[in-house]
């Protein structure tokens, strides 16, 4: 007869085990103060993150705290999201915590942190839920891009105007509803007319690859976490055609 | 067999002549509007137009059920949220800024059923019952607690609160549940054969499955228990992780998008749970050809559907031919 030595799985409520147990952030820094900063981002605690950032700033430069604490923390959140451990609310809370930390660092620097390039983001006109865009913004921020966040329910003209004024490396559009994504080809056409050949990444619940690749400039964004990689490509000089063949099809 | 008999057979766990086909979500398209002469935005606002456009699902498409309303704003509007018109082309949405803050103490108004466009919706169900009620099932649509609460507080604040201060959401969920239930009861009184609860914001795409279990499930259960016709629970996105909880609400039917695994839902839901699902509303019905629609519909049916349907609200630009193709496939599955 087999004698059980471990009783832990008897009477375990498997139905309660629907999410992978809350995971710790992987170690992102050998430095304990910076790790504390990253941990605060991972758990999405804004006040904790501000306190940790202040503590870290006593010994580290603001850019160190951003690059070796806050951003690696957000990247951990991105990983946990990819792996299905984290859900949307946690990503939003983490992004708030990171932004609060970055604000303190920028305050100490006396200027905004140097950004790689600008990305204009928006949610289509008629679509009031900017939840997909919230993640895109957070991940682009975490990867050092300056996000020109136009928010939700943005008219075509406003998106085009923001592109003209800001000259971003990339522009993104999110749509959750099939009724609203029809704004995307209109935006692309106006950008083309103005000679602004900016890669236009479109994604969201209702948006299909076939639709987005049916108009010029359009690149289909399958998942929010592709945004930083796409922005890097755009920054490196890839045009919309290069990006489409790399990310779509 | 009439469409109504076909639908009610399924809900009574008997065999219909063939699989029913209808939408538990919004049915209008621009082509249907032209054919029956009822248009947005009037069909969101006036009972006659609403009923006329809803009937197109039967007269133009041949669906086995008709359904009102076509948007998700009725309860929220009656609770004080500002509605933004979608004009001729879109459905109305809730405007910014949100009507409530997390610190507010929401109250369920006594005159709820007299507020906003609710009297028009109730009247639309009466008209549908009178005009086509013996030929097709009449579905009354209400909105689930978490989604109404989301309209009251706005998406991002409610998502944050679901993790940070879930207790603060309880008064909102309570009022939201009362709102949907009161509307559901009124629609049943007006003649609705079935109630569909749309709860988009309770999807694992937005909230964590544990939030659904700990926060939303109890309110949905209350709602389902309070309604004395069969209830269809529709949650968008991939709901694989919450199918068991959706079943625990007591809803007779679950409506799934093709993003969810029908096969797994069949196994994880109760043996008696009716599974409604089918063709992706955006990527297939709206974008593709009748042939592709048919293939997609057959593939989903083989996985264990009881009712063939669009996965979610029909996109208004959807070609009629694609919808007719879907109906055609349902007729292949005879019993």
């Amino acid at each position: 007869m087999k004698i059980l030595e471990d009783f832990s799985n008897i009477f375990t409520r498997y139905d309660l085990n629907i999410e992978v147990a809350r995971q710790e952030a992987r170690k992102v820094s050998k430095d304990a103060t910076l790790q504390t900063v990253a941990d605060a981002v991972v758990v999405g605690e804004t006040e904790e993150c501000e306190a940790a950032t202040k503590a870290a700033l006593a010994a580290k430069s603001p850019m160190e705290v951003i690059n070796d604490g806050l951003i690696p923390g957000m990247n951990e959140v991105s990983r946990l999201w990819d792996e299905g451990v984290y859900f949307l609310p946690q990503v939003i809370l983490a992004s708030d915590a990171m932004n609060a930390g970055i604000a303190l660092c920028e305050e100490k620097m006396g200027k905004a942190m140097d950004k790689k390039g600008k990305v204009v983001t928006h949610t289509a006109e008629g679509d009031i839920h900017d939840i997909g865009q919230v993640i895109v913004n957070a991940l682009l921020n975490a990867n050092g891009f300056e996000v020109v966040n136009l928010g939700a329910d943005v008219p075509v003209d406003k998106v085009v105007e923001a592109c003209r004024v800001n000259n971003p490396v990339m522009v993104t559009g999110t749509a959750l509803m099939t009724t609203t994504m029809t704004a995307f080809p209109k935006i692309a056409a106006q950008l083309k007319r103005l000679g602004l050949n900016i890669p236009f990444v479109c994604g969201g619940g209702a948006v299909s690859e076939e639709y987005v690749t049916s108009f010029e400039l359009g690149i289909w964004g399958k998942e929010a976490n592709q945004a930083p990689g796409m922005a890097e490509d755009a920054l490196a000089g890839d045009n919309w055609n290069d990006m489409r063949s790399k990310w779509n099809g | 067999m009439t469409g109504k008999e076909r639908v009610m057979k399924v809900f009574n766990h008997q065999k219909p002549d063939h699989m029913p086909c209808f939408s538990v979500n919004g049915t209008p398209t621009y082509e249907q509007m032209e054919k029956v002469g009822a248009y947005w935005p009037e069909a969101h606002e006036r009972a006659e137009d609403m009923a006329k456009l809803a009937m197109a699902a039967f007269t133009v498409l041949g669906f086995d059920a008709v359904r009102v309303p076509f948007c998700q704003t009725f309860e929220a509007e009656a609770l004080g949220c500002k509605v933004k018109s979608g004009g001729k082309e879109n459905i109305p949405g809730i405007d910014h800024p949100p009507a409530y803050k997390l610190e507010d103490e929401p109250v369920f108004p006594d005159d709820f059923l007299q507020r906003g466009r609710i009297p028009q919706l109730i009247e639309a169900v009466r008209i549908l019952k009178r005009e086509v009620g013996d030929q097709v099932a009449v579905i009354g649509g209400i909105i689930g607690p978490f989604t109404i609460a989301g309209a009251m507080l706005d998406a991002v604040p409610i998502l944050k609160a679901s993790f940070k201060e879930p207790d603060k959401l309880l008064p909102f969920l309570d009022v939201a549940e009362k709102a949907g239930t009161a509307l559901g009861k009124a629609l049943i009184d007006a003649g609705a054969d079935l109630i569909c609860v749309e709860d988009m914001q309770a999807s694992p795409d937005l909230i964590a499955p544990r939030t659904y279990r700990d926060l939303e499930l109890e309110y949905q259960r209350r709602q389902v228990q309070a309604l004395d016709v069969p209830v269809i629970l529709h949650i968008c996105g991939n709901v694989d992780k919450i199918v068991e909880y959706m079943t625990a609400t007591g809803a007779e039917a679950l409506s799934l998008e093709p993003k969810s695994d029908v096969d797994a839902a069949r196994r994880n839901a109760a043996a008696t749970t009716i599974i409604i699902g089918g063709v992706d509303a955006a990527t297939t019905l709206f974008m593709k050809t009748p042939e592709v629609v048919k293939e997609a519909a057959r593939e989903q049916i083989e996985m264990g559907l009881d009712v063939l349907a669009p996965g979610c609200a029909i996109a208004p630009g959807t070609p009629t031919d694609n919808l007719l193709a879907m109906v055609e496939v349902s007729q292949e599955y005879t019993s």
Side-chain angles (χ1 to χ4, degrees):
Chain A
M1 196 174 84
K2 188 174 160 49
I3 310 281
L4 272 182
E5 287 175 359
D6 175 10
F7 296 90
S8 62
N9 283 332
I10 296 180
F11 297 125
T12 294
R13 287 278 303 276
Y14 288 102
D15 66 320
L16 297 182
N17 196 20
I18 51 172
E19 288 160 51
V20 185
R22 191 171 185 104
Q23 293 190 358
E24 296 288 314
R26 285 182 188 156
K27 281 271 170 270
V28 296
S29 175
K30 289 199 175 74
D31 184 282
T33 54
L34 291 174
Q35 184 63 42
T36 312
V37 172
D39 288 344
V41 173
V42 172
V43 296
E45 293 288 349
T46 297
E47 282 167 24
E48 218 173 89
C49 187
E50 285 171 339
T53 301
K54 279 179 193 158
L57 282 172
K60 310 277 174 192
S61 77
M63 281 318 293
E64 266 180 296
V65 178
I66 292 174
N67 289 329
D68 303 330
L70 293 164
I71 288 177
M74 195 65 206
N75 286 337
E76 274 302 286
V77 172
S78 174
R79 180 182 66 81
L80 292 166
W81 159 264
D82 288 345
E83 292 176 5
V85 179
Y86 266 23
F87 287 83
L88 189 53
Q90 291 143 305
V91 179
I92 296 173
L93 291 166
S95 141
D96 283 358
M98 175 191 72
N99 286 333
I102 288 178
L104 287 175
C105 294
E106 289 181 333
E107 199 176 292
K108 176 131 187 206
M109 283 190 285
K111 66 175 178 73
M113 63 186 270
D114 291 331
K115 298 286 170 70
K116 293 177 181 168
K118 283 184 186 175
V119 179
V120 169
T121 70
H122 87 286
T123 298
E125 179 163 25
D127 238 324
I128 47 164
H129 287 321
D130 55 354
I131 28 210
Q133 193 198 343
V134 169
I135 307 181
V136 170
N137 290 347
L139 298 180
L140 287 171
N141 256 325
N143 284 277
F145 288 90
E146 180 176 353
V147 176
V148 181
N149 174 13
L150 302 180
D153 191 10
V154 188
V156 170
D157 293 347
K158 197 173 159 195
V159 179
V160 175
E161 179 61 13
C163 288
R164 200 183 61 74
V165 173
N166 290 292
N167 196 24
V169 294
M170 183 171 99
V171 52
T172 76
T174 319
L176 282 179
M177 305 194 290
T178 43
T179 52
T180 57
M181 66 180 183
T182 46
F184 293 155
K186 294 176 195 160
I187 292 171
Q190 288 203 30
L191 290 174
K192 285 288 289 184
R193 203 173 316 133
L194 291 172
L196 297 168
N197 291 314
I198 306 165
F200 182 23
V201 179
C202 306
V207 183
S208 68
E209 175 169 10
E210 197 181 0
Y211 187 72
V212 179
T213 52
S214 69
F215 53 85
E216 287 188 285
L217 302 185
I219 299 140
W220 181 53
K222 186 169 189 275
E223 304 283 351
N225 61 25
Q226 294 176 332
M230 289 178 164
E232 293 286 356
D233 287 351
L235 185 69
D238 284 4
N239 65 31
W240 64 270
N241 252 323
D242 301 335
M243 286 175 63
R244 187 186 282 179
S245 39
K246 175 173 173 186
W247 294 91
N248 295 164
Chain B
M1 192 174 276
T2 64
K4 177 168 181 178
E5 286 168 332
R6 197 168 292 129
V7 174
M8 294 333 265
K9 284 266 185 202
V10 169
F11 277 86
N12 289 324
H13 304 288
Q14 296 164 330
K15 290 209 176 297
D17 56 350
H18 63 72
M19 176 173 285
C21 180
F22 60 86
S23 174
V24 307
N25 312 105
T27 54
T29 59
Y30 305 132
E31 290 180 10
Q32 290 173 66
M33 293 180 202
E34 290 299 333
K35 284 211 169 94
V36 299
Y39 302 87
W40 290 348
E42 295 80 14
H44 293 301
E45 294 156 3
R46 288 205 300 256
E48 292 75 18
D49 297 279
M50 202 185 296
K52 207 170 171 185
L53 186 52
M55 262 184 265
F58 170 48
T59 56
V60 179
L61 305 178
F63 280 6
D64 293 310
V66 293
R67 198 259 195 228
V68 282
F70 317 124
C71 68
Q72 287 79 28
T73 55
F74 280 79
E75 295 95 327
E77 182 183 35
L79 291 172
C81 298
K82 196 163 163 260
V83 170
K84 189 184 165 187
S85 167
K88 285 178 179 307
E89 291 189 354
N90 290 332
I91 59 174
I94 301 299
D95 210 352
H96 285 240
Y100 293 85
K101 291 191 174 58
L102 210 49
E103 288 67 37
D104 291 343
E105 291 173 17
V107 179
F108 181 68
D110 292 336
D111 61 346
F112 176 75
L113 291 174
Q114 281 83 53
R115 289 181 167 211
R117 293 163 294 148
I118 287 182
Q120 298 294 325
L121 174 56
I122 295 171
E123 181 57 24
V125 169
R126 278 198 204 102
I127 298 172
L128 288 171
K129 188 71 180 176
R130 192 174 66 223
E131 300 287 328
V132 293
D134 52 351
Q135 302 172 76
V136 287
V138 176
I139 303 177
I142 63 172
I143 304 301
F146 209 87
T147 304
I148 295 179
M152 296 163 83
L153 292 162
D154 202 6
V156 171
I158 194 175
L159 292 184
K160 287 187 192 177
S162 74
F163 260 79
K164 288 282 173 189
E165 309 167 287
D167 288 351
K168 285 197 174 168
L169 295 180
L170 298 180
F172 289 92
L173 291 170
D174 186 60
V175 167
E177 182 273 320
K178 287 190 173 113
T181 303
L183 178 59
K185 285 182 169 174
L187 297 180
I188 293 168
D189 288 344
D193 302 302
L194 305 166
I195 292 292
C196 174
V197 181
E198 288 179 306
D199 209 349
M200 305 81 72
Q201 202 148 349
S203 169
D205 287 356
L206 300 180
I207 64 173
R210 66 166 172 272
T211 305
Y212 183 88
R213 181 195 64 204
D214 298 341
L215 218 50
E216 176 67 345
L217 177 56
E218 177 54 28
Y219 292 96
Q220 280 187 347
R221 183 162 27 209
R222 267 185 223 172
Q223 184 155 67
V224 171
Q225 305 309 326
L227 300 170
D228 52 14
V229 298
V231 172
I232 302 161
L233 178 58
H234 175 90
I235 299 182
C236 307
N238 182 338
V239 297
D240 292 350
K241 286 183 168 145
I242 58 168
V243 160
E244 284 175 80
Y245 306 130
M246 289 171 73
T247 309
T249 61
E252 277 81 356
L254 305 184
S255 162
L256 313 175
E257 283 199 68
K259 287 171 193 145
S260 296
D261 182 348
V262 173
D263 196 38
R266 190 74 278 171
R267 280 181 275 116
N268 293 331
T272 51
T273 302
I274 293 157
I275 308 272
I276 302 175
V279 189
D280 192 284
T283 56
T284 310
L285 276 174
F286 175 56
M287 296 288 302
K288 299 276 170 51
T289 60
E291 279 317 305
V292 180
V293 168
K294 284 184 180 175
E295 253 170 67
R298 290 187 192 113
E299 191 180 298
Q300 289 284 312
I301 290 174
E302 304 294 341
M303 283 164 49
L305 293 181
D306 297 301
V307 174
L308 182 60
C312 199
I314 297 172
T318 303
T320 303
D321 286 346
N322 282 357
L323 297 165
L324 294 175
M326 190 174 65
V327 173
E328 218 177 295
V329 170
S330 72
Q331 292 163 352
E332 295 169 4
Y333 290 83
T334 54
S335 33

